[in-house]
């Protein structure tokens, strides 16, 4: 451990002395500054929030499929001591007799979106993986600012707690969608005893914390990548994982502040009565509001989507990052087109800032600007396709190991493909006029993030689990996790395209029951699903409405599919197969050069990168992989004293 | 970075001069704002040019961006480009420049 | 085990870690203020009212600009002296910088305070009357004896809490109340809780999720409430923030404003503005207004013969925004009103602070039906003040944050100063970069908000 430090310059700062004594339990596991502990903390909280968001979704799906019927078990849960009253305060009080009411449905929708995006996928996919893996992959001992790293996690934690706690305040959680569009979000639910004790206020405050956390995190990641790469780790020898995370960090760093502005301005609107997002003459319930007016709801949408479009790439780039490691390792083939993928990721990052208003085609934009946004939106699919193609071609001619991580990785490819291709039509104003705010859009982005990103995250968990715990996860349980998940995901999201094209609005809380004109249509798919349910003795109407039941069944299958995963994660810590090598999958990147699990300080020798990151099946080599840190199989490279520092630019 | 004592003494002098310049330009900005140009937009333009000049002094001399590493320039150039995207695209989306220019008649 | 490149620069990038970090942070700050500035642009371009120009106190803003510039110089001098190891000088300059930050915030707080106590009232025809509410503004509601409280079985956004939200608004001693059951009680936390429990039991029996408590005051009470303390009111009912509703009679909701300005820019026919109503400002002020307008128009014509007065915002303001500094109109002095402190008012006419402070302007009593909207000079007044307070408030937070960091370097980094001054110099440099950025933001804020 200290060997790694010898060649680094010494700072004889005040921290020097106390860095060396062993931290206690709290310092080691709770308020740790170690990037690996923080990575695991982020990852576990991310998983927890994903589970929670998933649970909220299940309640929604029930009330869509069976509006007006009591959710089974909801009453029962409330009768459990200790948990019951808490659950009642958060959810139960809005579901008299177990029936989800409109308010609760709105809360569930808004909080599902928020939790999944800001508290689930980003913390797990970005913060968790990047913290654990990136410093190892570039061969350094920790992040550039370990203390800030700890702060980042705890700020995130506070934001999570505030977000959850907002269910418990008198008004309940926010009800205005994860997009929080003003003017509705600026003016609803204002009659309260104390505006500070309001779910909406807490949401906005939580977002401010969340944004600060991701700000600290991204500053840390970028600095680490720029300044702490090991000897020989030139930019173009950096694994694609680090590149993708590097780009993601820039998106977080520069796109989040405008959202912070949006949250702050909305807070000022709500708490101090300003009119940033409220136009003149706004009326509600036949009454002029007590506001000055003069603001604009469009301003909110611009600020929001300026973040939220880059945010969708924050959700997808970590997925590509993970797959770029998992796929070569399991096909035993180099990543196809490493260089073009790097450039594609950079282009994607840049372009993602310039397309946001494709979410706003219906706001009456002028011709010139909507043309501009259509062009950039179509342009951005080019780098996306390059990334996907690179991964797909990497499969070609490989001897593929179908372990769970590879199953998830290979399922990602077509699923993301569907998500991306269904996005293209939305890029054109004349099609979007019809599809905006329908289930089609919901289907589009869920194909990208759910069977897309989330599958990639599962792949990442299976892939790096042995490095963290020293044991592999169970193969059989892994497969039992994969197949129901794949089935469930498609059952939920594929029918959304059909419903969406039929005109189903995305926020109908009864799933369209009271919109018979649109929801009554039928086609062969609805007939098929109705007939299949008939076989089980269920009376499901042969109409678009009937698909709701199919989708909800899919959701419950998906839920069951997660049980093996949860068991697997926990049971394998003690019960998994012990790995015999520090590099169980035979990988080439530096994280596998460390002891298992990596100690504080990571490396037992000073790593030097002598080649590119994906040297699999090199002709003439005695084994099918050549690690970055070895000059020849089994022999770690050492840095000659005169090794020139790695070049700054490729 | 000015590191040797002579260089530091030199830079101290420079800093003081720039500080004075900033003060002078502030006075100029205030005075100019009371002088009515043909349109108020022109006033804004002049004011912003002065402010940008002052900001440039602060950034280049005080924050020594006049000799900084390439990496920082790249990051900042990217950021500034995005900030400008914010400034203009927001407004253009609400007030389409094509309509303003008269090239396109939205009522047709 | 140490993180590399905390003190010296990495050879190939030429940067130490903290330098990369701070620039990234500043890049993010650029986007934060970029978002705010673009909001400013968006709001200003789309504003449907007269965007205020030169309405803030330019002198104070100017002084603050100089203070910040000066502090930017001193923080650099502190760093340079630390590099030269002149510790005493270093400490002195750092202390001066922190003092500047304090000065800045103190000046700022004076500016804010003046705004908070200044009001603008929009009449239904679009005229704005500005001025001070010297006696405050309260709604007087009398003969209230019946109180209805709603109790929710569930946790909810509105909770009946009469002890905190109703009793303090009652004039004089709180009376005894009679409950539905006929008991006479004084309302306290304990008695209210009793009532609440009973009401809930009753509600549950009836299968309802809300219960009500009806209280009758033994002696009818009068209520004085600031508008922020109630939800709404009608001629016969008033509902408090906690949802409690009282029945009675509205006594008075007139507003007495000491006027210091009439802004008739948004009125189609300024000569017939509501403000000149006889029971408001009256004919003589109207004459003063017209004289002022004609004078301004004359002047504009001679000064800029080729320009269109309708397009000059400055001219519009000079012609249609009458500032009032004495209780009687300049032309009409002596003939009207005959108020006691006329001479006094004249004497103070030229003092600068006059308009900012309390008025000797005419007092008008506005009827509620003529008021379309009113607010003090806070974010609520219009989008200009909203963005002004948000921008400067956030900037102020940055000043405070920067000052705290610098204070930390000054007071608590003594050990590093002795053992590793080079590292402290790096810290001061990084702190300084942040400080310059704060200065840089102000350089744009000052002209945009104060001058243009
Ligand atoms: C590959 C090219 C893509 C294109 C052309 C595209 C296009 C679009 C368009 C035009 C919309 C707006 C639809 C509407 O509201 O009417 C949209 C919505 C959305 N997209 Fe994509 N998209 C693409 C990829 C992605 C990716 C990779 C993700 C996420 C990882 C994503 C996530 C979303 C989300 C979350 C929404 C909806 C947000 C909301 O309204 O709540 N998209 N997409
Ligand atoms: Cu988008």
């Amino acid at each position: 451990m200290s060997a790694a430090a010898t060649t680094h310059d010494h700072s004889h700062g005040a921290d020097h002395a106390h860095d060396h004594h062993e931290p206690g339990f709290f310092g080691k596991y709770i308020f740790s500054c170690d990037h690996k502990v923080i990575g695991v903390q982020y990852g576990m909280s991310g998983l927890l929030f994903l589970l929670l968001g998933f649970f909220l979704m299940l309640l929604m799906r029930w009330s869509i499929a069976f509006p007006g019927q009591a959710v089974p078990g909801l009453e029962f849960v409330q009768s459990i001591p200790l948990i019951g009253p808490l659950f009642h305060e958060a959810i139960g009080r809005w579901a008299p007799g177990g029936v989800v009411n409109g308010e609760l449905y709105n809360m569930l929708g808004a909080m599902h979106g928020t939790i999944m995006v800001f508290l689930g996928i980003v913390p797990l996919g970005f913060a968790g993986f990047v913290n654990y893996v990136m410093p190892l992959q570039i061969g350094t001992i920790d992040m550039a600012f370990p203390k800030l790293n700890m702060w980042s996690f705890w700020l995130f934690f506070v934001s999570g707690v505030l977000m959850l706690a907002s269910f418990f305040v008198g008004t309940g959680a926010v009800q205005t969608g994860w997009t929080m569009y003003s003017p509705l979000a600026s003016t609803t639910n204002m009659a309260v005893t104390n505006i500070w004790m309001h779910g909406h206020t807490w949401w906005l405050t939580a977002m401010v914390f969340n944004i600060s956390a991701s700000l600290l995190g991204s500053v840390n990641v970028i600095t680490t990548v720029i300044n702490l790469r090991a000897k020989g780790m030139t930019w173009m020898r950096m694994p694609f994982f680090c590149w993708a995370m590097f780009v993601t960090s820039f998106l977080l760093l520069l796109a989040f502040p405008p959202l912070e502005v949006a949250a702050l301005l909305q807070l000022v609107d709500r708490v101090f009565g300003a009119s940033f997002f409220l136009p003149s003459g706004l009326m509600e319930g036949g009454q002029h509001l007590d506001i000055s007016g003069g603001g604009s709801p469009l301003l909110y949408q611009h600020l929001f989507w300026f973040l939220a479009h880059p945010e969708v790439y924050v959700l997808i780039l970590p997925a590509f990052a993970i797959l770029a490691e998992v796929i070569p390792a399991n096909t035993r083939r180099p990543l196809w087109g490493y260089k073009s993928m790097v450039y594609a990721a950079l282009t994607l990052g840049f372009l993602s800032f310039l397309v946001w208003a494709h979410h706003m085609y219906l706001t009456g934009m002028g011709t010139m600007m909507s043309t501009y946004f259509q062009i950039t939106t179509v342009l951005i699919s080019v780098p996306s396709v390059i990334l996907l193609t690179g991964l797909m071609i990497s499969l070609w001619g490989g001897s593929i190991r179908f372990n769970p991580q590879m199953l998830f990785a290979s399922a990602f490819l077509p699923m993301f493909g569907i998500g991306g291709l269904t996005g293209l039509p939305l890029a054109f104003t004349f099609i979007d006029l019809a599809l905006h705010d329908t289930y089609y859009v919901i289907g589009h982005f869920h194909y990208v993030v759910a069977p897309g990103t989330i599958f990639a995250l599962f792949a990442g968990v299976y892939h790096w689990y042995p490095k963290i715990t020293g044991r592999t996860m169970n193969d059989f349980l892994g497969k039992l996790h994969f197949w129901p998940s794949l089935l469930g995901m498609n059952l939920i999201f594929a029918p959304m395209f059909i419903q969406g094209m039929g005109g189903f609005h995305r926020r109908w809380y009864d799933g369209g029951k009271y919109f018979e004109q649109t929801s009554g249509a039928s086609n062969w798919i609805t007939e098929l699903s109705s007939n299949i349910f008939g076989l089980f003795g269920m009376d499901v109407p042969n109409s678009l409405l009937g698909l709701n039941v199919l989708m909800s069944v899919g959701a419950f299958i998906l839920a069951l599919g997660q049980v093996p995963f949860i068991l697997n994660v926990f049971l394998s810590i003690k019960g998994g197969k012990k790995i015999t090598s520090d590099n169980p999958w035979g990988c080439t990147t530096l994280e596998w050069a460390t002891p298992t699990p990596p100690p504080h300080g990571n490396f037992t020798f000073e790593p030097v990168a002598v080649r590119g990151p994906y040297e699999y099946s090199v002709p003439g080599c005695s084994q099918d992989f050549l690690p970055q840190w070895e000059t020849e199989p089994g022999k770690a490279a050492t840095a000659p004293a005169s090794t020139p520092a790695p070049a700054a630019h490729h | 970075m000015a590191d040797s004592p002579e260089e530091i003494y030199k830079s101290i002098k420079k800093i003081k001069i720039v500080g004075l310049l900033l003060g002078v330009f502030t006075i100029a900005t205030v005075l100019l704002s009371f002088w009515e140009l043909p349109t108020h937009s022109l006033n804004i333009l002049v004011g912003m040019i002065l402010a940008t000049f002052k900001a440039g002094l602060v950034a280049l001399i005080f924050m020594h961006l006049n000799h900084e590493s390439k990496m920082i320039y790249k990051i900042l150039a990217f950021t500034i480009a995005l900030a400008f995207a914010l400034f203009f695209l927001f407004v253009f989306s609400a007030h389409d420049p094509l309509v303003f220019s008269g090239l396109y008649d939205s009522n047709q | 085990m140490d993180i590399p490149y905390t003190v010296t620069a990495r050879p190939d990038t030429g940067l130490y870690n903290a330098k990369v970090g701070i620039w990234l942070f500043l890049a993010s700050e650029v986007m934060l203020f970029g978002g705010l500035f673009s909001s400013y642009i968006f709001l200003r371009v789309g504003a449907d009212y007269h965007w205020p120009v030169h309405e803030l106190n330019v002198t104070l803003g100017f002084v603050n600009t100089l203070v910040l510039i000066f502090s930017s110089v001193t923080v650099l001098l502190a760093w340079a002296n630390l590099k030269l190891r002149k510790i005493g000088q270093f400490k002195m300059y750092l202390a001066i910088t922190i003092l500047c930050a304090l000065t800045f915030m103190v000046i700022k707080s004076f500016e804010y305070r003046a705004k908070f106590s200044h009001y603008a009232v929009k009449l239904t025809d679009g005229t704005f009357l500005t001025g001070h509410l010297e006696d405050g503004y309260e709604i007087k509601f009398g003969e209230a004896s019946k109180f209805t409280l709603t109790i929710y079985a569930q946790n909810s956004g509105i909770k009946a809490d009469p002890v905190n939200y109703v009793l303090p608004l009652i004039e004089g001693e709180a009376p005894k109340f009679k409950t539905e059951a006929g008991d006479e009680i004084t309302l306290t936390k304990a008695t209210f809780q009793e009532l609440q429990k009973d009401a809930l039991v009753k509600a549950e029996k009836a299968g309802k999720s809300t219960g009500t408590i009806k209280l009758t005051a033994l002696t009818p009470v009068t209520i004085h409430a600031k508008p922020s303390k109630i939800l709404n009111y009608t001629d016969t009912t008033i509902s408090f923030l906690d949802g409690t509703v009282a029945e009675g009679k509205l006594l008075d909701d007139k507003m007495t404003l000491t006027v210091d300005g009439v802004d008739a820019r948004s009125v189609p026919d300024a000569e017939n503005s509501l403000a000149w109503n006889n029971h408001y400002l009256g004919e003589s002020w109207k004459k003063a207004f017209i004289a002022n307008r004609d004078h301004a128009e004359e002047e504009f014509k001679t000064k800029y013969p080729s320009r269109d007065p309708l397009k000059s915002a400055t001219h519009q303001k000079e012609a249609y925004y009458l500032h009032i500094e004495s209780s009687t109109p300049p032309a009409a002095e002596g003939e009207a009103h005959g108020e006691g402190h006329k001479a006094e008012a004249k004497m103070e006419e030229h003092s600068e602070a006059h308009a900012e402070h309390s008025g000797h302007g005419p007092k008008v009593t506005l009827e509620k039906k003529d008021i379309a909207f009113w607010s003090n000079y806070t974010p609520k007044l219009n989008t200009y003040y909203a963005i002004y307070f948000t921008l400067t408030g956030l900037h102020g937070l940055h000043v405070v944050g920067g000052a705290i960091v610098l204070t930390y370097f000054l007071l608590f980094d003594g050990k590093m100063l002795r053992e590793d001054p080079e590292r402290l110099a790096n810290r001061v440099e990084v702190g300084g970069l942040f400080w310059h950025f704060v200065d840089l933001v102000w350089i744009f804020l000052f002209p945009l908000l104060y001058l243009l």
Side-chain angles (χ1 to χ4, degrees), chain A residues 317-613:
Chain A
L317 276 170
F320 282 115
I322 291 165
L323 292 197
E325 304 306 306
V326 172
I327 289 185
N330 289 300
T331 54
R332 317 308 293 161
R333 295 254 299 131
L335 185 65
W336 191 87
Y338 166 79
K339 247 194 184 158
S340 41
M341 284 186 68
V342 169
Y343 289 127
L346 289 169
T347 318
L348 193 77
F350 179 69
L351 280 179
S352 73
F353 283 104
L354 301 176
V355 303
W356 76 86
H358 63 212
H359 298 272
M360 300 167 59
Y361 285 144
L362 262 68
T363 58
M365 221 184 295
T367 321
M368 177 168 152
M369 290 321 287
S370 73
T371 309
Y372 160 79
F373 281 114
Q374 290 177 68
I375 292 173
T376 49
T377 305
V378 177
L379 269 184
I380 201 171
S381 56
V382 176
S384 319
V385 168
I386 293 177
L387 290 181
L388 188 64
T389 314
L391 292 176
M392 209 123 65
I393 300 183
S394 302
L395 300 175
W396 186 260
S399 47
I400 303 178
R401 304 192 284 226
F402 279 110
N403 45 22
Q405 60 263 43
M406 192 56 197
L407 284 175
F408 277 110
S410 23
F412 170 92
L413 302 175
M415 295 293 109
F416 176 78
I418 294 175
L421 287 178
T422 51
L424 272 179
L426 294 176
F428 302 97
T429 43
F430 49 91
I431 305 179
D432 192 56
L433 281 177
L435 293 179
H436 178 69
D437 264 353
T438 65
Y439 263 99
Y440 183 93
V441 174
I442 309 285
H444 151 63
F445 72 77
H446 277 96
Y447 257 102
V448 190
V449 281
T453 302
I454 291 186
F455 274 13
L457 300 186
F458 284 142
V461 172
Y462 286 102
H463 184 65
W464 279 293
Y465 193 87
K467 181 61 23 190
I468 301 171
T469 60
R471 293 167 193 263
T472 56
M473 285 169 83
N474 184 295
D475 213 53
F476 175 71
L477 281 179
K479 285 173 184 162
L480 205 59
H481 172 206
F482 172 70
W483 291 107
S485 298
L486 186 63
L487 177 70
M489 290 280 192
N490 283 290
L491 278 182
I492 304 171
F493 298 123
M496 285 188 182
F497 294 127
I498 303 164
Q499 283 194 338
M501 285 189 274
F504 270 54
H505 190 271
R506 64 189 281 187
R507 300 209 201 273
W508 283 342
Y509 108 87
D510 56 10
K513 199 172 157 213
Y514 297 106
F515 296 83
E516 218 71 55
Q517 307 94 313
T518 41
S519 53
S522 64
N523 58 23
W524 63 272
I525 299 175
T526 60
E527 194 178 335
L528 186 70
S529 102
S530 162
N531 288 344
I532 291 178
F533 278 116
L535 292 182
F536 296 95
M538 283 171 75
D539 181 26
V540 172
N542 169 17
S543 69
L544 292 183
L545 203 58
L547 292 181
N548 282 338
V549 182
L550 180 68
M551 289 147 80
S552 295
V553 168
F556 301 126
I557 294 178
L558 184 60
L560 286 181
Q562 305 318 300
V563 175
F565 176 67
I566 296 167
L567 289 178
N568 209 348
V569 166
F570 287 104
L571 296 184
S572 301
I573 296 176
K574 284 266 142 55
K577 202 160 87 213
K578 259 210 171 110
I579 53 171
T580 48
S581 143
D582 284 336
N583 188 358
W585 313 120
C587 291
T588 51
T589 44
L590 267 171
E591 77 268 34
W592 305 101
T594 61
T596 309
H600 196 52
N602 300 341
F603 293 92
T604 48
F605 60 97
E606 195 202 347
V608 180
V610 288
R611 55 170 53 82

Side-chain angles (χ1 to χ4, degrees), chain C residues 197-350:
Chain C
K197 240 188 255 159
D198 296 343
L200 280 180
V201 171
K202 246 209 232 143
E204 201 172 335
K205 267 190 202 142
K208 283 194 279 187
S209 62
T210 55
T212 46
I213 301 174
K214 287 201 159 82
L215 294 175
T216 316
L218 288 184
T219 47
V221 295
T222 305
I223 291 154
H224 293 261
K226 285 197 178 132
S228 60
K229 300 279 179 206
I230 56 175
L231 284 178
N232 51 49
Y233 65 92
T234 66
D235 282 346
T236 52
T237 61
I238 182 166
S239 47
F240 301 89
L241 280 186
D242 67 338
T244 301
V245 178
E247 284 166 48
K249 204 174 110 201
L250 180 63
L251 295 182
D252 181 16
D253 60 353
K254 289 195 195 65
M255 177 185 281
T256 305
L257 186 75
T258 312
V259 179
D260 65 9
V262 182
D263 178 359
R265 281 177 291 179
S266 311
V267 197
D269 180 8
E271 291 187 18
N272 285 322
S273 156
L274 263 183
W276 319 129
N277 257 359
N278 271 338
H279 51 286
Y280 292 161
L281 285 168
E283 281 298 317
S284 47
W285 278 108
K286 176 174 163 185
K287 269 189 209 139
F289 174 82
I290 292 173
N292 176 62
R293 184 195 64 190
D294 292 348
H295 174 70
E297 263 167 9
E298 204 54 43
E299 205 174 29
F300 188 81
K301 256 190 219 139
T302 47
K303 234 170 150 183
Y304 311 107
S306 62
R307 291 188 198 167
D308 179 1
L310 287 178
K311 283 198 178 140
S312 164
T314 322
H315 168 67
Q316 290 295 314
K317 187 169 143 189
E318 267 161 20
Y320 291 97
Y321 190 173
L322 179 68
H323 290 274
I324 294 179
E325 282 162 6
S326 66
S327 60
T328 48
E333 246 152 61
E335 56 173 86
H337 302 321
E339 257 142 85
H341 53 253
K342 195 167 74 192
E344 194 185 309
K346 260 189 95 179
M347 252 167 47
E348 284 210 15
E349 233 175 63
H350 298 287

Side-chain angles (χ1 to χ4, degrees), chain A residues 9 13 16 20 88-89 93 141 145 168 170 191 193 215 227 229 257 261 273 276 280 290-292 296 601 646, chain C residues 1-2 5-6 8 10 12-13 15 17 28 32 42 48 154-159 165 373 380-381 386 390 423:
Chain A
D9 67 325
H16 198 76
H20 277 286
H88 176 82
E89 276 297 290
R93 68 182 152 123
I141 54 174
F145 310 110
F168 294 89
T193 316
L215 173 66
N227 241 22
R229 279 165 293 123
V261 172
F276 282 118
S280 298
D290 179 28
I291 53 162
S292 70
S296 167
Chain C
M1 194 189 67
D2 299 305
Y5 311 120
T6 44
T8 54
R10 177 174 165 123
D12 59 345
T13 57
L15 296 163
N17 296 342
S28 160
L32 181 76
F42 196 91
D48 53 5
Q154 314 290 352
N155 189 5
S156 78
I158 290 193
K159 268 185 224 134
Y165 290 90
F373 173 78
K380 190 175 173 184
L381 181 60
T390 314
R423 189 161 175 202

Side-chain angles (χ1 to χ4, degrees), chain C residues 140-147 166-167 169-177 216-224 238 240 246-249 251:
Chain C
K140 228 196 219 165
F141 196 84
E143 295 167 33
S145 57
K146 265 199 206 154
F147 290 79
V166 180
L167 293 190
L169 308 181
I170 289 176
E171 189 184 71
E173 280 278 299
K176 288 201 165 199
F177 290 93
T216 316
L218 288 184
T219 47
V221 295
T222 305
I223 291 154
H224 293 261
I238 182 166
F240 301 89
E247 284 166 48
K249 204 174 110 201
L251 295 182

